[in-house]
Amino acid sequence: LLDSLLQETKDCNYCNYIHAGMGLLLLLLSLLLNHAVTHLMVQILTSRLPSIPTMDILYAANWLVSLVQAVMTTLAGMVFTWQSGLVLMDVKLSLLYPYGWLSLGYWLYDLCSLGLLANKTTPDHSVPEVPGMSQLLRRSIKSVVTLVRWWPGMVCHHVGVITFLWVAVINTSRQRGDGMIALSFIMELSSVFVAARSALARLGFKQTRLYLGISICMVAAFLLVRILLVPLVIHLHSREQGLSMVQGVLSMPRQCVMGTVLFYGLNCYWFALMVRGSVKLFNKYKKI
């Protein structure tokens, strides 16, 4: 019996090593692909729009890579949700783990890209000298400080997504909830139009019908996947447990309820800002 248990432990450790090795390879592949796509976007935009300043080209290329990632994640979420049959908790999705590694590569790459852009476009922030601190370490700390000061909200967003991928998708022992994670991927649909809109703004297309149309689509997509989808997820979860929506919410752990309320409240706030901005843009466009 002891020999059998030891053998099972060795087999389990071996499987863990295989999974980790596969994950690191997928992470490396994702980093290389994102770098290649970014370089391709820069080359295309530079050749097609030679009058646009270099920094605007770099920002637009970054947003277009984000658009590609958002499209892929939305499609992956739809496929995973179809595979789950709208079962949120008691379903296992085998491709969720490898896609988590691929997605992690994008978010790490994008965070580093934003750091490079921030350090190219913002004033230098000095770091006090500390005895024994190497020049490389001081430079790294300065870069991180510059990035956080430049766009703290985006940094928090990226760190939150990276933490979610690592804790909930990659390095997790949970046995339930794959369907819920699949539905959360569909929320990236709104990011498709956010990225497209931001890229158009950087390339000087703010006063066009395309920009207005993308802005309207952004608001509609945000309403669909960030405002309406959350109550649907709660309804599906409660139905699986044989409870009403109110009973389902009350049965959730307190930290989950608090996190959901905070997440939904922020989404409602951002949606209100989007609607207000779109109304101003529409009124401005009518006067032109």
Side-chain angles (χ1 to χ4, degrees):
L1 178 60
L2 180 59
D3 290 340
S4 177
L5 290 174
L6 288 174
Q7 185 61 41
E8 288 181 7
T9 301
K10 290 180 180 179
D11 292 342
C12 183
N13 289 335
Y14 179 74
C15 290
N16 289 337
Y17 290 141
I18 293 295
H19 284 170
M22 180 192 71
L24 291 175
L25 286 175
L26 289 173
L27 177 64
L28 178 61
L29 176 63
S30 178
L31 292 171
L32 292 174
L33 285 175
N34 279 288
H35 181 68
V37 173
T38 300
H39 183 71
L40 178 63
M41 293 293 184
V42 170
Q43 296 299 316
I44 293 174
L45 293 176
T46 301
S47 62
R48 295 292 181 87
L49 301 166
S51 61
I52 302 296
T54 301
M55 286 310 302
D56 286 332
I57 291 290
L58 293 176
Y59 275 108
N62 181 266
W63 279 115
L64 290 176
V65 174
S66 298
L67 186 153
V68 173
Q69 163 67 15
V71 169
M72 291 178 59
T73 300
T74 302
L75 292 176
M78 290 178 177
V79 172
F80 292 154
T81 300
W82 174 74
Q83 288 180 335
S84 71
L86 288 180
V87 177
L88 302 187
M89 304 304 294
D90 299 317
V91 63
K92 294 299 293 182
L93 301 171
S94 58
L95 293 179
L96 196 61
Y97 177 81
Y99 187 78
W101 278 104
L102 289 172
S103 187
L104 179 65
Y106 160 76
W107 290 104
L108 290 173
Y109 181 85
D110 194 57
L111 189 60
C112 293
S113 297
L114 290 175
L116 292 174
L117 289 173
N119 282 270
K120 286 182 180 179
T121 57
T122 56
D124 202 9
H125 295 290
S126 60
V127 176
E129 292 191 14
V130 177
M133 181 183 290
S134 66
Q135 191 69 20
L136 178 61
L137 182 58
R138 288 187 72 252
R139 196 176 304 165
S140 300
I141 294 175
K142 179 183 74 68
S143 299
V144 172
V145 170
T146 300
L147 173 60
V148 173
R149 289 182 176 179
W150 176 66
W151 202 345
M154 186 61 77
V155 173
C156 291
H157 173 264
H158 277 53
V159 171
V161 173
I162 290 169
T163 302
F164 169 78
L165 288 171
W166 183 256
V167 173
V169 181
I170 297 172
N171 188 31
T172 177
S173 59
R174 63 174 178 78
Q175 300 298 319
R176 308 174 72 224
D178 280 11
M180 189 171 292
I181 292 176
L183 272 175
S184 72
F185 284 173
I186 297 178
M187 292 183 179
E188 281 297 291
L189 176 64
S190 61
S191 299
V192 173
F193 301 103
V194 171
R197 184 174 182 268
S198 300
L200 288 174
R202 278 288 177 178
L203 296 174
F205 292 99
K206 259 192 170 184
Q207 308 299 327
T208 62
R209 287 180 179 271
L210 178 60
Y211 185 83
L212 177 63
I214 292 293
S215 299
I216 295 173
C217 289
M218 178 189 70
V219 176
F222 199 93
L223 173 65
L224 182 65
V225 300
R226 300 275 180 165
I227 304 300
L228 301 180
L229 184 61
V230 173
L232 175 62
V233 171
I234 296 175
H235 167 70
L236 292 173
H237 173 70
S238 301
R239 190 181 66 179
E240 282 185 29
Q241 311 302 316
L243 303 172
S244 66
M245 282 190 65
V246 175
Q247 292 172 330
V249 171
L250 294 177
S251 67
M252 294 167 59
R254 183 178 301 176
Q255 60 269 29
C256 291
V257 175
M258 293 176 61
T260 302
V261 170
L262 178 62
F263 174 75
Y264 196 66
L266 286 173
N267 280 340
C268 290
Y269 172 72
W270 289 328
F271 179 69
L273 293 180
M274 287 181 179
V275 171
R276 186 172 66 179
S278 296
V279 170
K280 289 182 179 179
L281 179 64
F282 184 74
N283 292 332
K284 181 179 178 180
Y285 183 83
K286 286 198 304 183
K287 295 177 182 178
I288 298 177

